[in-house]
Amino acid sequence: MRAQLAEWVAGQWDPGMSLREWRRLLASSGWAVPSWPQRWHGKGMPAWADDLVASELIRLGAVGTPVGSGMTLAAPTILAHGPDHGRERFLRTILTGEQTWCQLFSEPGAGSDLAGLSTSAVLDGGEWVINGQKVWTTSAHHADLGMLLARTDWNAPKHRGLTYLAIPMKQPGVLVRPLRQMNFHQSFNEVFFTDARVPRANVIGEVGDGWKVALTTLAYERRFGAMTRPGYDVRPGRALDEARAEAADHFATYTWYPQRAGRVDLIVEHAQAAGVSDDPAVRQEIARLLTIQHASRWTAQRAQDARAAGRRPGAEGSIGKLAASDIARGAARVHSRIAAAAGLLSGHDAPFDGTIAEILLSVPAQSIAGGTDEIQRNILGEKVLGLPREPAPDRDLPFTQTRRNG
Ligand SMILES: Cc1cc2nc3c(=O)[nH]c(=O)nc-3n(C[C@H](O)[C@H](O)[C@H](O)COP(=O)(O)OP(=O)(O)OC[C@H]3O[C@@H](n4cnc5c(N)ncnc54)[C@H](O)[C@@H]3O)c2cc1C
């Protein structure tokens, strides 16, 4: 496979071409995501082929697929649930990077209780008309399309009246308002829909089956919890410049995400710089943290191997997500211990460039985004340990008769 790919790249890759031109070639060849079916821009290969090809493309000096939730969340969801005309319409522009996506799930009254959402979609001729509000929508300010979960049947039980729609974001009925976070960054938004329009054909899966479709997106979200920025160690040229600009634009939203994960990588260096690396209590805490981090890497490796073997995302995603929260909180504690009160100072003249303060203000997000710790524990309890389901007395009642948040 490596030899075939190398031969194809040698014949096609020209660093002087535009990024779009290159990605279109990549998508047409089936090498962009080789595990996808041949009919849908892939080669029908086993799942392990994707990681291999991604790393080989870098090694060969060529640019790979785009970064962002289009690739990690929308594409696998659309591929899994269809329908075919949706796959036709959306998959290729995700692969080429021509259209970017955001995830419109959470609402002021529906986060953990996502199935309790109340944004409504009503069919009017050839279009769905959308009214309601979403919140915490990362990257909504520059997305072309949104993965929208909306209520289409108010008389069905709450999990059964939902529909998953691909909504065009750049239209008069969609108002995106940025939210300022306590760490001073601005990566998510409130999104208001006032008679916004979605073509009837933009339903992903079936009308009324949106909960099942959303569970696929959520499983992929847990799996792709850790974001890696592509190295782009490739030969200079137009395609590379454009890929770098695309990645810079995308990652501008996420500059604080390494701090959110606790910056374990800085701990030993900071302990040495602060002269506390021989303090037995500090050493003990650092050792504990690094141990959990190593064990959690092995869990992530197990998840990656499961994926390579072609299995759908499983409980490893929840285990990994819980471990990431534990590591982030542990790292914040050790950083505070090392920096003491000076860790509260922000700005570039503060110790360690103000990174410690940013870590302390960013770490709480780790255990909330993509489903809170408690929700991951519920999933593990029910799905892995086989414990009784969480009581939900109104699960089978019409949505209009259920108790709701907010
Ligand atoms: C950095 C970040 C990025 C995000 N990006 C997006 C995005 O792009 N798109 C999007 O749609 N959303 C996004 N979110 C929102 C995120 O999915 C929600 O914040 C999350 O699901 C929790 O919902 P909530 O904030 O409404 O809290 P709530 O659901 O109100 O929870 C409050 C508290 O109650 C606990 N709780 C709730 N229910 C239970 C239960 N059944 N059992 C035990 N404890 C429970 C929770 O664990 C939590 O501690 C993002 C959030 C963050 C922090």
Side-chain angles (χ1 to χ4, degrees), residues 69 73 102-114 134-140 147 181 187-188 218 221 254 256-257 260 362 364-376 378 390 405:
S69 61
L73 304 182
C102 65
Q103 182 191 6
L104 296 157
F105 282 13
S106 307
E107 298 184 0
S112 304
D113 180 26
L114 184 59
K134 297 288 172 177
V135 73
W136 316 127
T137 319
T138 307
S139 291
M147 298 162 246
Q181 300 150 215
S187 58
F188 32 52
L218 291 171
E221 186 173 14
Y254 302 100
W256 58 283
Y257 272 44
R260 164 183 132 162
S362 304
Q366 183 70 45
S367 53
I368 302 173
T372 66
D373 285 5
E374 288 77 12
I375 295 305
Q376 305 311 324
N378 280 350
E390 192 180 5
N405 292 319

Coordinates of all heavy atoms in Angstrom, one line a residue, residues 69 73 102-114 134-140 147 181 187-188 218 221 254 256-257 260 362 364-376 378 390 405, ligand 1:
S69 N -14.1 19.9 12.7 CA -15.2 19.0 13.0 C -16.0 18.4 11.8 O -16.7 17.5 11.9 CB -16.2 19.6 14.0 OG -16.8 20.7 13.4
L73 N -16.3 14.8 12.9 CA -17.6 14.5 13.4 C -18.7 14.4 12.3 O -19.4 13.4 12.2 CB -18.1 15.6 14.4 CG -17.2 15.9 15.6 CD1 -17.8 17.0 16.5 CD2 -16.9 14.7 16.4
C102 N -19.8 23.3 12.2 CA -19.9 23.4 13.7 C -21.0 22.5 14.2 O -21.8 22.0 13.4 CB -20.1 24.8 14.1 SG -21.7 25.5 13.7
Q103 N -21.0 22.3 15.5 CA -21.9 21.3 16.1 C -23.0 22.0 17.0 O -22.6 22.6 18.0 CB -21.1 20.3 17.0 CG -21.9 19.2 17.7 CD -21.0 18.5 18.7 OE1 -19.9 19.0 19.0 NE2 -21.5 17.5 19.3
L104 N -24.2 22.0 16.5 CA -25.3 22.8 17.1 C -26.2 21.8 17.9 O -27.3 21.5 17.5 CB -26.1 23.5 16.1 CG -25.4 24.6 15.2 CD1 -26.0 24.8 13.9 CD2 -25.3 25.9 16.0
F105 N -25.6 21.4 19.1 CA -26.4 20.5 19.9 C -26.9 21.2 21.2 O -28.1 21.3 21.4 CB -25.5 19.3 20.4 CG -25.3 18.2 19.3 CD1 -25.6 18.4 18.0 CD2 -24.8 17.0 19.7 CE1 -25.4 17.4 17.0 CE2 -24.6 16.0 18.7 CZ -24.9 16.2 17.4
S106 N -25.9 21.7 22.0 CA -26.3 22.2 23.4 C -27.2 23.5 23.3 O -27.1 24.3 22.4 CB -25.1 22.6 24.1 OG -24.2 21.5 24.2
E107 N -28.1 23.6 24.3 CA -29.0 24.7 24.4 C -28.9 25.2 25.9 O -28.5 24.5 26.7 CB -30.4 24.4 24.1 CG -30.6 23.9 22.6 CD -32.0 23.6 22.3 OE1 -32.9 23.8 23.1 OE2 -32.2 23.2 21.1
P108 N -29.4 26.4 26.1 CA -29.4 26.9 27.5 C -30.1 25.9 28.5 O -29.7 25.7 29.6 CB -30.2 28.2 27.5 CG -30.0 28.7 26.1 CD -29.9 27.4 25.2
G109 N -31.2 25.2 28.0 CA -31.9 24.2 28.9 C -31.6 22.8 28.5 O -32.3 21.9 29.0
A110 N -30.6 22.5 27.7 CA -30.3 21.1 27.3 C -28.8 21.0 27.0 O -28.4 21.3 25.9 CB -31.1 20.8 26.1
G111 N -28.1 20.4 28.0 CA -26.7 20.1 27.8 C -26.5 18.6 28.0 O -26.6 17.8 27.1
S112 N -26.3 18.2 29.3 CA -26.3 16.8 29.6 C -27.6 16.1 29.2 O -27.6 15.1 28.6 CB -26.1 16.6 31.1 OG -24.9 17.2 31.5
D113 N -28.7 16.8 29.5 CA -30.0 16.3 29.1 C -30.3 16.8 27.6 O -31.3 17.5 27.3 CB -31.1 16.9 30.0 CG -32.5 16.4 29.7 OD1 -32.6 15.3 29.1 OD2 -33.4 17.1 30.0
L114 N -29.5 16.3 26.7 CA -29.5 16.8 25.3 C -30.9 16.6 24.7 O -31.4 17.4 23.9 CB -28.4 16.2 24.5 CG -28.2 16.7 23.1 CD1 -28.0 18.2 23.0 CD2 -27.0 16.0 22.4
K134 N -29.2 27.9 20.4 CA -28.1 27.0 20.8 C -27.1 27.8 21.5 O -27.0 29.0 21.5 CB -27.5 26.3 19.5 CG -28.4 25.5 18.7 CD -28.7 24.2 19.5 CE -29.8 23.4 18.8 NZ -30.1 22.1 19.4
V135 N -26.2 27.1 22.3 CA -25.2 27.8 23.0 C -23.9 26.9 23.1 O -24.0 25.7 22.9 CB -25.7 28.2 24.4 CG1 -25.8 27.0 25.4 CG2 -24.8 29.3 25.1
W136 N -22.8 27.5 23.4 CA -21.5 26.9 23.5 C -21.0 26.3 22.2 O -20.4 25.3 22.1 CB -21.4 25.8 24.5 CG -22.0 26.0 25.9 CD1 -23.0 25.2 26.5 CD2 -21.8 27.1 26.7 NE1 -23.3 25.8 27.7 CE2 -22.6 26.9 27.8 CE3 -21.0 28.2 26.7 CZ2 -22.6 27.8 28.9 CZ3 -21.0 29.1 27.7 CH2 -21.8 28.9 28.8
T137 N -21.5 27.0 21.1 CA -21.2 26.4 19.8 C -19.8 26.8 19.3 O -19.6 27.9 18.8 CB -22.3 26.8 18.7 OG1 -23.5 26.8 19.4 CG2 -22.2 25.9 17.5
T138 N -18.9 25.9 19.4 CA -17.5 26.2 19.1 C -17.4 26.5 17.5 O -18.0 25.7 16.8 CB -16.6 25.0 19.4 OG1 -16.8 24.7 20.8 CG2 -15.1 25.3 19.2
S139 N -16.7 27.5 17.2 CA -16.4 27.8 15.8 C -17.6 28.2 14.9 O -17.5 28.3 13.7 CB -15.7 26.7 15.1 OG -14.4 26.5 15.6
A140 N -18.8 28.5 15.6 CA -20.0 28.8 14.8 C -19.7 30.1 14.0 O -20.3 30.4 12.9 CB -21.2 29.0 15.7
M147 N -24.2 21.0 12.3 CA -24.9 19.8 12.6 C -25.9 20.1 13.6 O -25.7 20.3 14.8 CB -23.9 18.8 13.2 CG -22.7 18.4 12.4 SD -21.4 17.6 13.4 CE -20.1 18.8 13.2
Q181 N -15.0 34.1 27.5 CA -14.8 33.1 28.5 C -14.0 33.7 29.7 O -13.3 34.8 29.5 CB -14.0 31.9 28.0 CG -14.7 31.2 26.9 CD -13.8 30.6 25.9 OE1 -14.1 30.6 24.7 NE2 -12.7 30.1 26.3
S187 N -14.0 31.3 22.1 CA -14.0 30.3 21.1 C -15.4 29.7 20.8 O -15.6 29.0 19.9 CB -13.0 29.1 21.4 OG -13.3 28.6 22.6
F188 N -16.4 30.0 21.7 CA -17.7 29.6 21.4 C -18.7 30.7 21.4 O -18.4 31.8 21.8 CB -18.2 28.4 22.2 CG -17.7 28.2 23.6 CD1 -17.8 29.2 24.5 CD2 -17.1 27.0 24.0 CE1 -17.4 29.1 25.7 CE2 -16.7 26.9 25.3 CZ -16.8 27.9 26.2
L218 N -21.6 12.0 18.9 CA -21.0 12.1 20.3 C -19.9 11.1 20.5 O -18.9 11.4 21.2 CB -22.1 12.0 21.3 CG -23.1 13.2 21.4 CD1 -24.3 12.8 22.3 CD2 -22.4 14.4 21.8
E221 N -16.9 12.3 18.9 CA -16.4 13.5 19.7 C -15.5 13.0 20.8 O -14.5 13.5 21.1 CB -17.5 14.3 20.2 CG -17.1 15.6 20.8 CD -18.2 16.5 21.2 OE1 -19.4 16.1 21.1 OE2 -17.9 17.7 21.4
Y254 N -8.5 27.6 19.1 CA -8.2 26.5 20.1 C -6.9 26.8 20.8 O -6.3 25.9 21.3 CB -8.2 25.2 19.4 CG -9.5 24.8 18.8 CD1 -9.7 24.9 17.4 CD2 -10.5 24.3 19.5 CE1 -10.9 24.6 16.8 CE2 -11.7 24.0 18.9 CZ -11.9 24.1 17.5 OH -13.1 23.8 17.0
W256 N -6.1 27.9 23.5 CA -6.0 27.6 24.9 C -6.3 26.2 25.2 O -6.2 25.7 26.4 CB -7.1 28.5 25.7 CG -8.5 28.3 25.2 CD1 -9.0 28.8 24.0 CD2 -9.5 27.5 25.8 NE1 -10.3 28.4 23.9 CE2 -10.7 27.6 25.0 CE3 -9.6 26.8 27.0 CZ2 -11.9 27.0 25.3 CZ3 -10.8 26.1 27.3 CH2 -11.9 26.2 26.5
Y257 N -6.5 25.3 24.2 CA -6.8 23.9 24.4 C -5.7 23.1 25.1 O -5.9 22.3 25.9 CB -7.3 23.2 23.2 CG -8.8 23.4 23.0 CD1 -9.5 24.6 23.2 CD2 -9.6 22.3 22.6 CE1 -10.8 24.7 23.0 CE2 -11.0 22.4 22.4 CZ -11.6 23.6 22.6 OH -13.0 23.7 22.5
R260 N -6.1 23.9 28.6 CA -7.2 23.2 29.1 C -6.9 21.8 29.5 O -7.4 21.2 30.4 CB -8.3 23.3 28.0 CG -9.4 22.3 28.1 CD -10.3 22.4 26.9 NE -10.6 21.1 26.4 CZ -11.6 20.8 25.6 NH1 -12.4 21.8 25.1 NH2 -11.8 19.6 25.1
S362 N -8.6 27.5 32.5 CA -9.0 26.7 31.4 C -9.4 25.2 31.7 O -10.2 24.6 31.0 CB -7.9 26.7 30.3 OG -7.6 28.0 29.9
P364 N -11.2 23.7 34.0 CA -12.6 23.2 34.2 C -13.3 22.8 32.9 O -14.2 22.0 32.9 CB -13.2 24.5 34.8 CG -12.1 25.2 35.5 CD -10.9 25.0 34.6
A365 N -12.9 23.4 31.8 CA -13.6 23.1 30.5 C -13.4 21.6 30.1 O -14.2 21.1 29.4 CB -13.2 24.0 29.4
Q366 N -12.3 21.1 30.5 CA -11.9 19.7 30.1 C -13.0 18.7 30.5 O -13.3 17.8 29.8 CB -10.6 19.3 30.7 CG -10.0 18.0 30.3 CD -9.6 18.0 28.8 OE1 -9.0 18.9 28.3 NE2 -10.0 17.0 28.1
S367 N -13.5 18.9 31.7 CA -14.5 17.9 32.2 C -15.9 18.3 31.9 O -16.9 17.6 32.4 CB -14.3 17.8 33.8 OG -14.4 19.1 34.4
I368 N -16.1 19.3 31.0 CA -17.5 19.6 30.6 C -17.7 19.4 29.1 O -18.7 18.7 28.7 CB -17.8 21.1 30.9 CG1 -17.6 21.5 32.4 CG2 -19.2 21.5 30.4 CD1 -17.6 23.0 32.7
A369 N -16.7 19.9 28.3 CA -16.9 19.8 26.8 C -17.1 18.3 26.4 O -16.4 17.4 26.9 CB -15.7 20.4 26.1
G370 N -18.0 18.1 25.5 CA -18.1 16.7 24.9 C -18.8 15.8 25.9 O -18.7 14.5 25.7
G371 N -19.5 16.3 26.9 CA -20.1 15.4 27.9 C -19.3 15.5 29.2 O -18.1 15.2 29.2
T372 N -20.0 15.8 30.3 CA -19.3 16.0 31.6 C -18.8 14.6 32.2 O -19.2 13.6 31.7 CB -20.3 16.6 32.6 OG1 -21.3 15.7 32.9 CG2 -20.8 17.9 32.1
D373 N -18.0 14.7 33.2 CA -17.5 13.5 33.9 C -18.6 12.6 34.4 O -18.6 11.4 34.2 CB -16.6 13.9 35.1 CG -15.2 14.4 34.7 OD1 -15.0 14.6 33.5 OD2 -14.4 14.7 35.6
E374 N -19.6 13.3 35.0 CA -20.7 12.5 35.5 C -21.5 11.7 34.4 O -21.9 10.6 34.6 CB -21.8 13.4 36.2 CG -21.3 14.0 37.6 CD -20.3 15.2 37.4 OE1 -20.2 15.7 36.2 OE2 -19.6 15.5 38.4
I375 N -21.6 12.4 33.3 CA -22.3 11.7 32.1 C -21.4 10.5 31.6 O -22.0 9.5 31.3 CB -22.6 12.7 31.0 CG1 -23.6 13.8 31.5 CG2 -23.1 12.0 29.8 CD1 -24.9 13.2 32.1
Q376 N -20.1 10.7 31.6 CA -19.2 9.6 31.1 C -19.4 8.4 32.1 O -19.4 7.3 31.8 CB -17.8 10.0 31.1 CG -17.5 11.2 30.2 CD -18.1 11.2 28.8 OE1 -18.2 10.1 28.2 NE2 -18.6 12.3 28.3
N378 N -22.0 7.7 33.9 CA -23.3 7.1 33.7 C -23.1 6.1 32.5 O -23.7 5.0 32.6 CB -24.4 8.1 33.4 CG -24.9 8.8 34.6 OD1 -24.6 8.4 35.7 ND2 -25.7 9.9 34.4
E390 N -30.2 4.8 34.5 CA -30.6 5.9 35.3 C -32.1 6.1 35.2 O -32.7 6.0 34.2 CB -29.9 7.2 34.7 CG -30.0 8.4 35.6 CD -29.3 9.6 34.9 OE1 -28.9 9.5 33.8 OE2 -29.3 10.6 35.6
N405 N -35.6 21.5 31.7 CA -34.7 22.5 32.3 C -35.0 23.8 31.7 O -35.5 23.9 30.6 CB -33.2 22.2 31.9 CG -32.7 20.9 32.5 OD1 -33.0 20.6 33.6 ND2 -32.0 20.1 31.7
Ligands
LIG1 C1 -14.9 24.0 25.7 C2 -16.3 23.7 25.4 C3 -16.7 23.5 24.0 C4 -18.0 23.1 23.7 N1 -18.4 23.1 22.4 C5 -19.7 22.7 22.1 C6 -20.1 22.7 20.7 O1 -19.3 23.0 19.8 N2 -21.4 22.4 20.4 C7 -22.3 22.1 21.4 O2 -23.4 21.7 21.1 N3 -21.9 22.1 22.7 C8 -20.6 22.5 23.1 N4 -20.3 22.5 24.4 C9 -21.3 22.3 25.4 C10 -21.2 21.0 26.2 O3 -21.5 19.9 25.4 C11 -22.1 21.1 27.5 O4 -21.6 22.2 28.2 C12 -22.1 19.8 28.3 O5 -22.8 18.8 27.6 C13 -22.8 20.0 29.7 O6 -24.0 20.7 29.5 P1 -24.4 21.9 30.4 O7 -23.3 22.9 30.2 O8 -25.8 22.3 30.0 O9 -24.4 21.4 31.9 P2 -25.6 20.7 32.6 O10 -26.1 19.6 31.8 O11 -26.6 21.7 33.1 O12 -24.9 20.0 33.9 C14 -24.6 20.7 35.1 C15 -24.0 19.8 36.1 O13 -25.0 18.7 36.4 C16 -24.4 17.4 36.2 N5 -25.4 16.5 35.6 C17 -26.3 16.8 34.7 N6 -27.1 15.7 34.4 C18 -26.6 14.7 35.2 C19 -27.0 13.3 35.4 N7 -28.0 12.8 34.7 N8 -26.3 12.6 36.3 C20 -25.3 13.1 37.0 N9 -24.9 14.4 36.9 C21 -25.6 15.2 36.0 C22 -23.3 17.6 35.1 O14 -22.3 16.6 35.2 C23 -22.8 19.0 35.6 O15 -21.8 18.9 36.6 C24 -19.0 22.9 24.8 C25 -18.6 23.0 26.1 C26 -17.3 23.4 26.4 C27 -16.9 23.6 27.9

